[in-house]
Amino acid sequence: MNEIQRLDAAAATTARGDAGRAFDVVPWLSRSIAEDAASGRFARWSRSTIVDENTGSPVLDRAVFDRLHDLAGEPSAWPVGNAGLLHVYGYLLSLTPTPYGLKRERWLGPELARAFGLADDAFAPWADGPTLLERVTDAATSLLRSPAAARSEADGEYVTVLSASAGPAALVYARVADDGIRLVTTFPVADAAAVLTTIEATPPAPGAPYRLRWNAAP
């Protein structure tokens, strides 16, 4: 059984609500979470809901959601938790379909890594060395700081940054807080120009401090 097959088996287990068994199937997952927790990496991420904004349904069973946060030592209040934990590791365990496919494909496929200018397997979850969260955090933070990136600040306290202004790109979405930037998510987009146009056309409501996108939670 290769690593993708193991991940498939773990995800199928979580769909049945067996959180403990899932982490036995892919032991590198709990090790990665423990390492990230010890290094304080989850603090660099904001809050997110596990309820998909397109389907209106959670993409993970609550038992798995709770187990993830227990392993990370992160506070949560179903369905809201740590965005890095949910978008990076939680999505790996989700088999819930969305209009854009399975959320875990951003880590298993090459599109996002290529858009960041990285090797196709740069986000292979089980790779030796830095954890997946560490690699994702570094890539997203570098793009946020890049003066060449296309960006929109139309959402108030939230910023969207893309690796290109048109065509395929990596998107990074983050909250600009008083104590620094907190990441929310990153994923590949097919048309960066269309994304930027949509954001500029739908800013926060009058008097609202921000507009939330891509499953961000206040």
Side-chain angles (χ1 to χ4, degrees):
M1 184 181 292
N2 61 34
E3 290 297 343
I4 290 182
Q5 290 171 329
R6 291 180 187 278
L7 193 57
D8 285 340
T13 299
T14 66
R16 298 191 296 270
D18 189 351
R21 173 60 180 160
F23 292 92
D24 291 339
V25 176
V26 283
W28 50 263
L29 181 54
S30 55
R31 290 197 300 267
S32 294
I33 293 172
E35 182 178 332
D36 291 326
S39 299
R41 294 188 188 105
F42 294 113
R44 297 175 65 181
W45 290 76
S46 187
R47 310 294 286 170
S48 175
T49 174
I50 200 62
V51 176
D52 182 69
E53 63 185 13
N54 294 291
T55 66
S57 301
V59 300
L60 276 181
D61 181 88
R62 180 166 184 174
V64 181
F65 173 97
D66 290 340
R67 179 62 175 156
L68 284 166
H69 285 87
D70 286 345
L71 287 171
E74 286 291 314
S76 65
W78 172 265
V80 173
N82 182 272
L85 183 63
L86 294 176
H87 288 232
V88 176
Y89 295 128
Y91 285 177
L92 286 174
L93 297 174
S94 174
L95 292 177
T96 302
T98 76
Y100 301 99
L102 296 180
K103 289 181 175 291
R104 68 180 190 164
E105 288 305 317
R106 70 190 67 180
W107 313 127
L108 304 184
E111 290 80 11
L112 182 58
R114 288 176 184 171
F116 273 116
L118 303 173
D120 285 1
D121 62 351
F123 296 135
W126 46 80
D128 293 333
T131 67
L132 176 58
L133 185 75
E134 182 176 359
R135 285 173 275 149
V136 172
T137 302
D138 288 348
T141 302
S142 293
L143 182 59
L144 281 169
R145 293 173 175 168
S146 172
R151 69 183 60 230
S152 173
E153 298 179 352
D155 288 331
E157 294 179 14
Y158 289 80
V159 61
T160 300
V161 179
L162 295 115
S163 59
S165 58
L171 181 151
V172 174
Y173 183 58
R175 179 173 182 264
V176 182
D178 292 339
D179 56 350
I181 292 176
R182 297 291 182 268
L183 300 167
V184 177
T185 194
T186 181
F187 53 87
V189 299
D191 187 351
V195 172
L196 290 168
T197 297
T198 298
I199 293 172
E200 296 296 328
T202 55
Y210 51 75
R211 179 186 176 95
L212 296 175
R213 302 181 194 270
W214 298 302
N215 303 324

